[in-house]
Each structure stands twice: as structure tokens, then as C-alpha cells.
């Protein structure tokens, strides 16, 4: 039987950076994210009786060796749980650039968890799908749910506010078209091992999470934007202080950050966040999203902007890819 699933990327407003248990892929800090409409991954999985290496097709082409190995390890867990032994055929398509800091691993492993569980005949509740997705990529657990989502230290994930309940937007400003050089897993392991700021990062994260949760529940955009920018800058400061330092930004990233701040000073309510890559995501009210997209599009070096509204969680089944 084939399994089909679609999941959306999510962008953390309070970041997870560091693992407290690498084998179980448990985060060292809680996190809070917004699932985005439109930035989606669609995945089809089919298990065959014959043994052999899994076939993994990403946007129609065979995946590179590290991705293939990561997917295969993930599917081994699904096979073990379902008592299957044959190889799998995985076809997956993204509607946005892969591995450039646009959270493709989050939507990717959420969709893979859904499609693989379905193909293996496992009937899993959302919490179980989130726990499975987390084994592929911790942030993927958050993409099982739509809207604003929190993940705690035990990997438990829950929706705080559904997508239709708050009219906010994320404007994505694309600042590069090449894949990122340091994966988030390598970046966070190196940060934890070598950054003198890592203990301070861990110690200050719970207060950021509590402030962001309260802001989301109160629909207080200014309070959420303030803590989101602080969490992002702290994560990157911590990574920059590793040896060697990890720098995910390019020059355009910095210019977009400056533009967000200068437009905010001039009265446009907008705040930035940046993941393990060079792109900038700007949080604003839905009513301001066209204006935010327009001002970020003219920052020299930005080659595209995309407005995303809050999106839904994992959906299973549907039309074949
Ligand atoms: O789940 P991973 O391994 O893709 O790491 C995600 C790391 C960040 O995107 C930078 C932060 C987050 O909480 O999503």
C-alpha cells in the first residue's frame, strides 16, 4: 500500500538550538513556531516486499548520499515498528528551495512520517506522528500541527493557536539560492561543544518561551516580535561564538535585518527571524504583509519575497503526487 502526505514548513519564533539527547533527538530547549501555508512538502512512500536499498527521489532526482542515509535510518524505525523488511520507494517534492534554511527538513520529515506510517499500515495519533517525525528532525514534530505550535523539552508538541485564529503573516525574503554549508545538526552540535555562550543560551531560553507563549495566547504581535528577534539573535550569537564560529548570514541577510529595524522605527510593525541559513523571515500583521514584502523586495541583493499565512498541519492521503 502507498502512503501519501503533505506537510508545511514551520518557522521557529523561539528557537530550538542544541540537543539534550542526540539518540532520541530531544531538544535542549523548548521552542515555539508558526506553521506556514504554501511552503509544503508532498511525499509518497511505498514499501515493496523485495529487500535492498531504499530509493529516495527528491524533486524527481535521486537524493544525495547523506539525505539517502538519513531517510533510510528513519524508515528502518518505521519498518521495525511495523514488522516490515522490504525496501521503500520514496518520492518527495518541495514547493520551496531545499536545505537553504527554509525549514525543508521540518516539512520533509513531517510528511515522511505521515506517508511512511500510512504505507506501513500504522494508525498513529497526531502525538505519535509528532514523536516519529521528531526522530528525523526535531523541528518536524511541530509541522504535524498548524498555526502556532510549542514543543517542550520532552519533545511533546501541541498547538497553541490554530491557523485561522490570528491574522499574522511571515514574509520570506530570499537572500541566496545555494544550499547552506553547515547543517543545523552539525551547527548545533558544534555550538554545544565549543560555544562559551551555550550555557547562557540554555539558561535564558525558558523565559523567552514563556514570554512568547503568553504573547501568542494574547495575540500581542509586538511582544511576540520582540522576543522572536531576541531569540534569533541569541541563537546566532551563540553559534558565532563557537570555534570555529558558525556564520549562517550573508551580506544581504544583514541588510534585510537593518531594513526591518529601520522600517519598524519608522512605524511599520515588523520583526525578523533567521534559521540555520541566510534567508530572513519577517513577522507582521496580515494587513501589513504587502507593504513589508514591497520594502524587503527592494533591499539590494534580495531576489524574491514570498508572503505566507499561517498554515495547516499534516494531511494524509489525497491525490497522488
Ligand atoms: O530540526 P532541525 O534539525 O532542522 O533544527 C532546526 C533548527 C532551527 O530551525 C534553527 C530552529 C528551530 O527551532 O526550528
Amino acid at each position: 500500500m502507498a502512503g501519501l502526505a503533505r506537510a508545511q514548513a514551520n518557522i521557529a519564533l523561539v528557537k530550538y538550538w542544541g540537543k539534550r539527547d542526540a539518540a532520541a533527538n530531544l531538544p535542549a530547549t523548548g521552542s515555539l513556531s508558526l506553521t506556514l501555508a504554501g511552503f509544503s512538502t508532498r511525499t509518497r512512500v511505498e514499501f515493496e516486499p523485495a529487500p535492498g536499498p531504499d530509493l529516495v527521489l527528491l524533486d524527481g532526482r535521486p537524493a544525495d548520499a547523506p539525505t539517502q542515509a538519513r531517510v533510510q535510518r528513519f524508515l528502518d524505525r518505521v519498518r521495525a515498528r511495523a514488522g516490515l523488511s522490504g525496501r521503500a520507494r520514496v518520492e518527495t517534492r518541495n514547493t520551496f528551495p531545499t536545505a537553504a534554511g527554509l525549514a525543508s527538513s521540518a516539512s520533509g520529515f513531517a510528511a515522511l512520517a505521515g506517508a511512511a506510517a500510512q504505507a506501513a499500515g500504522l494508525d498513529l495519533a497526531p502525538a505519535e506522528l509528532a514523536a516519529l517525525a521528531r526522530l528525523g528532525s526535531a523541528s518536524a514534530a511541530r509541522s504535524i500541527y498548524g498555526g502556532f505550535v510549542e514543543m517542550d523539552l520532552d519533545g511533546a508538541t501541541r498547538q497553541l493557536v490554530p491557523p485561522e485564529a490570528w491574522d499574522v503573516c511571515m514574509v520570506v525574503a530570499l537572500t541566496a539560492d545555494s544550499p547552506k554549508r553547515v547543517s543545523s545538526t552539525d551547527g548545533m552540535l558544534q555550538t554545544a561543544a565549543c560555544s562559551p555562550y551555550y550555557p547562557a543560551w540554555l539558561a535564558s531560553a525558558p523565559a523567552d518561551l514563556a514570554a512568547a507563549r503568553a504573547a501568542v495566547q494574547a495575540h500581542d504581535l509586538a511582544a511576540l516580535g520582540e522576543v522572536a528577534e531576541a531569540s534569533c539573535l541569541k541563537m546566532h550569537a551563540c553559534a558565532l561564538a563557537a570555534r570555529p564560529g558558525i556564520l549562517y548570514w550573508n551580506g544581504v541577510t544583514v541588510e534585510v535585518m537593518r531594513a526591518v529595524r529601520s522600517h519598524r522605527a519608522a512605524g511599520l510593525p515588523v520583526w525578523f527571524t533567521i534559521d540555520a541559513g541566510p534567508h530572513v523571515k519577517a513577522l507582521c500583521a496580515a494587513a501589513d504583509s504587502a507593504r513589508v514584502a514591497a520594502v524587503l523586495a527592494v533591499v539590494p541583493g534580495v531576489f524574491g519575497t514570498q508572503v505566507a499565512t499561517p498554515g495547516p498541519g499534516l494531511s494524509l492521503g489525497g491525490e497522488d503526487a
Side-chain angles (χ1 to χ4, degrees):
M1 181 175 104
L4 270 168
R6 180 189 294 277
Q8 271 59 232
N10 72 77
I11 301 298
L13 295 164
V14 172
K15 306 293 188 195
Y16 133 67
W17 194 250
K19 298 180 195 289
R20 87 183 161 85
D21 179 337
N25 210 20
L26 285 171
T29 58
S31 57
L32 187 153
S33 61
L34 178 60
T35 300
L36 303 184
F39 286 74
S40 64
T41 301
R42 177 127 186 92
T43 298
R44 181 181 188 280
V45 174
E46 188 160 12
F47 289 104
E48 297 168 0
D54 296 324
L55 176 66
V56 182
L57 295 173
L58 198 58
D59 290 326
R61 285 189 296 275
D64 60 27
T67 305
Q68 155 80 31
R70 204 171 158 192
V71 169
Q72 179 129 5
R73 276 198 307 276
F74 182 85
L75 292 172
D76 285 345
R77 292 175 184 263
V78 176
R79 276 185 282 254
R81 193 158 167 172
L84 296 172
S85 56
R87 68 184 173 206
R89 182 185 168 89
V90 178
E91 289 168 70
T92 186
R93 288 187 184 276
N94 283 329
T95 60
F96 56 91
T98 304
L102 275 178
S104 57
S105 67
S107 56
F109 277 101
L112 183 62
Q118 198 182 42
L122 297 171
D123 185 17
L124 303 184
E128 294 172 297
L129 284 168
L132 178 61
R134 196 196 73 237
L135 297 171
S137 174
S139 58
R142 299 186 309 236
S143 278
I144 299 298
Y145 300 95
F148 287 90
V149 178
E150 179 176 345
M151 177 165 63
D152 72 20
L153 285 178
D154 297 322
T157 311
R158 70 193 166 108
Q159 184 183 65
L160 294 175
V161 165
E164 62 285 354
W166 192 11
D167 284 342
V168 297
C169 273
M170 255 336 173
V171 179
V172 179
L174 297 169
T175 65
D177 62 358
S178 51
K180 66 186 171 195
R181 274 175 239 136
V182 181
S183 73
S184 44
T185 296
D186 291 346
M188 62 180 81
L189 290 178
Q190 193 175 323
T191 303
C194 323
S195 175
Y197 299 166
Y198 189 65
W201 160 255
L202 296 182
S204 60
D208 291 343
L209 187 61
R213 186 191 308 119
V216 165
Q217 282 162 345
H219 292 199
D220 183 341
L221 188 59
L224 180 61
E226 195 279 331
V227 71
E229 231 177 76
S231 174
C232 158
L233 289 172
K234 210 169 3 171
M235 174 200 126
H236 286 275
C238 195
L240 282 164
R243 289 182 62 173
I246 304 157
L247 175 58
Y248 285 111
W249 307 341
N250 60 35
V252 184
T253 313
V254 177
E255 291 309 322
V256 175
M257 292 158 77
R258 287 191 184 283
V260 166
R261 286 193 157 180
S262 68
H263 285 284
R264 188 163 81 235
L268 181 61
V270 54
W271 293 265
F272 64 74
T273 189
I274 305 154
D275 290 309
H279 308 300
V280 182
K281 295 97 182 187
L283 177 72
C284 62
D288 292 326
S289 62
R291 212 172 130 214
V292 169
V295 299
L296 298 186
V298 298
V299 174
V302 168
F303 62 84
T305 56
Q306 208 168 323
V307 177
T309 57
L314 178 76
S315 63
L316 295 177
E319 293 296 304
D320 222 327

